[in-house]
Amino acid sequence: MKRLILLASLIFGCTFAFADTLTLKSGHPDSYVVKKGDTLWDISATFLNDPWRWPKLWGVNPQVANPHLIYPGDKLTLVFIDGEPRLVMKPHVRKSPEGRISAKDGAIPAIDLSLIQPYLLQNRVVDGDWFELQPKVMGGESSSKFHVTSDIIYVHGKLAVGTKLGVYAEGREFTNNEGDNLGLEVVLSASGRVIESGEVSKVKLLSNLRETEAGYRVLPIEDDSLMSAYFMPRAAQLAEPATVLASGKDVRAMGKLDVVYLDKGANDGVATGDVFSIFKDGKVVVIDSDGTPVQPYERNRYDKILANLSSDSAVKMPDLYRGELMVFKVFDKTSMGIILVNERPVRVADKLTNPEQASISE
């Protein structure tokens, strides 16, 4: 991945606005030397409480036509410009005759896309009825029940020769808390290319993530299924909180770099690059007749009834911060995000809110 430029994501638009001030971490350094493997997110996390706000720290300007490249070995210095913190680049000079460290591995990216790359095509959310109408895998030239890379499979449908396809297995049906259908998860089994067209077309499998079998469906691999090369993080701006709908790997607890589904998508205003703070709802403590706070695990039946009613005897505790995630793929009613900050395990039904933005603290 050559010459990933610091501000290349500007070409995808920069119409959002940040709060007027940034929050610097207590004990932050005054300078930093870029290392191989760094990302802008990682570097910004050294200085900021909110690393997703790195564009503000770097003084992103949409009018810059030829932004700086940041390479391993560059020295970054924290300065204040008009009272605002900024990272500026200064060449890193060794005291030995070798001079400046040369960059051999290209400029550093905003976020390590290799961490997200495996999720590009594995998961999509589509309308279930529409998926049932897509061409179906009927079997293959091999007598085996399962088919892998280089195998020829038969697909019921006249497909154009040369078309590249994804082979998908049916996954989970998603609904929200109100019971509304949010779509069907479909999981990529393999990719293939049509080599012979007919009422039953032949498709050669080019790669596989799991074994393909009869009954799977094929979908064209379209441009909108591919992910942008760059992300410009920004604060989500939803009127109502979203919810963690499911884990990408269908596990109970999720952590840093795990992928989750959100219960809101493009129809709700979610966009690629949106950053959400993750919270667990605060527990409700009931005050019993003696004035003693009763914890949820100590409640009897009467206490539980009080906790579920609007009552002066039931007091909600503050929500518990879990971490932050960034949306990288958006569907109509759902979206997918990757957890980039994780202080506590994230679970299904956790609340996703617009991230708070505070003032500078030295």
Side-chain angles (χ1 to χ4, degrees):
M1 188 178 295
K2 296 182 178 179
R3 294 181 63 82
L4 281 176
I5 60 177
L6 169 63
L7 304 180
S9 50
L10 290 173
I11 63 176
F12 292 93
C14 185
T15 59
F16 58 92
F18 289 102
D20 291 334
T21 54
L22 293 174
T23 304
L24 289 173
K25 272 187 174 179
S26 176
H28 61 80
D30 295 324
S31 62
Y32 181 85
V33 177
V34 180
K35 303 186 299 294
K36 181 179 178 181
D38 277 342
T39 66
L40 298 186
W41 185 289
D42 298 331
I43 294 172
S44 298
T46 303
F47 296 91
L48 297 179
N49 285 332
D50 296 321
W52 56 269
R53 299 185 65 201
W54 63 261
K56 178 79 170 178
L57 182 65
W58 297 85
V60 166
N61 184 342
Q63 305 307 316
V64 175
N66 185 24
H68 294 297
L69 302 179
I70 304 300
Y71 292 95
D74 284 335
K75 183 177 181 180
L76 307 174
T77 301
L78 184 68
V79 299
F80 282 81
I81 300 175
D82 296 328
E84 287 287 334
R86 294 287 185 270
L87 277 181
V88 297
M89 184 178 67
K90 295 182 179 181
H92 178 61
V93 180
R94 293 189 179 189
K95 294 182 180 179
S96 68
E98 295 179 15
R100 184 182 185 277
I101 300 175
S102 61
K104 298 180 180 179
D105 299 307
I108 66 170
I111 294 169
D112 189 350
L113 296 179
S114 66
L115 299 172
I116 307 175
Q117 198 74 20
Y119 299 93
L120 273 176
L121 297 176
Q122 287 189 31
N123 299 342
R124 294 173 66 177
V125 180
V126 300
D127 179 80
D129 292 337
W130 173 85
F131 187 67
E132 286 297 314
L133 299 176
Q134 303 312 301
K136 181 185 294 185
V137 176
M138 305 301 292
E141 287 186 348
S142 167
S143 59
S144 172
K145 178 181 178 181
F146 303 106
H147 308 284
V148 295
T149 302
S150 298
D151 284 353
I152 306 296
I153 60 172
Y154 300 136
V155 178
H156 190 198
K158 194 165 186 178
L159 307 173
V161 172
T163 302
K164 190 173 181 180
L165 302 168
V167 184
Y168 289 86
E170 186 173 315
R172 295 165 287 182
E173 190 82 37
F174 290 141
T175 58
N176 60 19
N177 291 333
E178 289 72 41
D180 300 323
N181 188 296
L182 300 181
L184 174 70
E185 175 193 41
V186 294
V187 182
L188 184 68
S189 162
S191 67
R193 192 178 301 278
V194 180
I195 60 172
E196 186 177 311
S197 181
E199 291 303 316
V200 176
S201 298
K202 291 184 179 182
V203 175
K204 182 175 182 178
L205 297 182
L206 303 176
S207 65
N208 66 280
L209 297 170
R210 54 191 288 182
E211 295 169 320
T212 294
E213 58 184 295
Y216 287 8
R217 305 281 176 167
V218 299
L219 307 176
I221 296 180
E222 302 169 339
D223 290 340
D224 64 0
S225 68
L226 302 176
M227 189 186 306
S228 301
Y230 307 100
F231 291 93
M232 181 68 82
R234 60 176 173 268
Q237 298 181 358
L238 297 189
E240 298 291 335
T243 301
V244 175
L245 181 63
S247 161
K249 295 180 180 178
D250 200 15
V251 296
R252 184 168 180 266
M254 296 151 276
K256 187 174 181 179
L257 303 182
D258 280 339
V259 170
V260 303
Y261 287 99
L262 288 66
D263 69 346
K264 295 188 184 297
N267 294 350
D268 307 288
V270 177
T272 300
D274 280 357
V275 175
F276 288 88
S277 293
I278 311 168
F279 288 90
K280 176 186 177 182
D281 266 334
K283 62 185 178 181
V284 176
V285 174
V286 173
I287 308 298
D288 67 12
S289 57
D290 297 326
T292 302
V294 180
Q295 302 300 317
Y297 58 84
E298 298 174 323
R299 290 180 198 154
N300 57 30
R301 185 175 180 182
Y302 174 70
D303 294 327
K304 291 179 181 178
I305 294 174
L306 283 180
N308 291 326
L309 298 175
S310 177
S311 169
D312 293 337
S313 300
V315 182
K316 184 179 182 298
M317 299 297 102
D319 293 339
L320 185 64
Y321 177 72
R322 302 275 212 192
E324 291 173 355
L325 65 79
M326 186 191 74
V327 173
F328 67 89
K329 181 69 177 174
V330 179
F331 308 101
D332 289 342
K333 299 179 182 179
T334 63
S335 50
M336 296 175 72
I338 186 167
I339 299 170
L340 293 172
V341 177
N342 175 227
E343 291 192 0
R344 299 177 180 87
V346 175
R347 300 182 187 278
V348 172
D350 279 351
K351 183 165 57 180
L352 302 171
T353 67
N354 303 335
E356 296 181 359
Q357 298 176 350
S359 59
I360 295 177
S361 61
E362 302 254 12

